[in-house]
Amino acid sequence: QVQVVESGGGLVQAGGSLRLSCSASGRTFSIIAMGWFRQAPGKEREFVAAINRYNGITNYSNSVKGRFTISRDNAKNAAYLQMNSLKPEDTAVYYCAAKPGNYGALTEIVGYRSWGQGTQVTVSS
């Protein structure tokens, strides 16, 4: 029973920045990691970034590494995604998700059991 809510999406020109926020509630004690995924129209949902709740270790997809930064505030049960140097191909609905256990890798959807409603990020060329 973990609820997740995202915010911070919007329209930005290529090269610009956005910061997404994610807040988890409910059984937050069970959360091992927080992750960000995205899905563009006609494409499958893909991994973007994740952060371990306890040790702060991060993972990034190759497509965003060096441009995006994930962070967390455990006191607030929150996670953030700072997106810089945005490209049109970053356009997608971005979802925050909570991973409650060790099943599945941090980069894989299968292990994440609580998902936010999604926030739209649109990058114009």
Side-chain angles (χ1 to χ4, degrees), residues 13-84:
Q13 293 194 109
S17 299
L18 284 173
R19 185 172 187 258
L20 306 183
S21 298
C22 172
S23 179
S25 61
R27 294 179 176 268
T28 56
F29 59 85
S30 68
I31 299 173
I32 291 176
M34 301 290 291
W36 287 95
F37 297 78
R38 66 187 182 187
Q39 186 168 22
K43 296 184 178 180
E44 295 184 349
R45 191 169 299 185
E46 65 177 0
F47 168 77
V48 176
I51 186 166
N52 185 291
R53 182 183 179 187
Y54 300 106
N55 59 28
I57 293 176
T58 57
N59 295 77
Y60 296 93
S61 69
N62 290 332
S63 63
V64 307
K65 194 170 186 178
R67 299 188 297 121
F68 292 9
T69 302
I70 188 171
S71 60
R72 85 275 195 264
D73 184 339
N74 287 346
K76 297 180 179 179
N77 295 311
Y80 308 94
L81 186 68
Q82 178 66 46
M83 305 185 293
N84 298 326

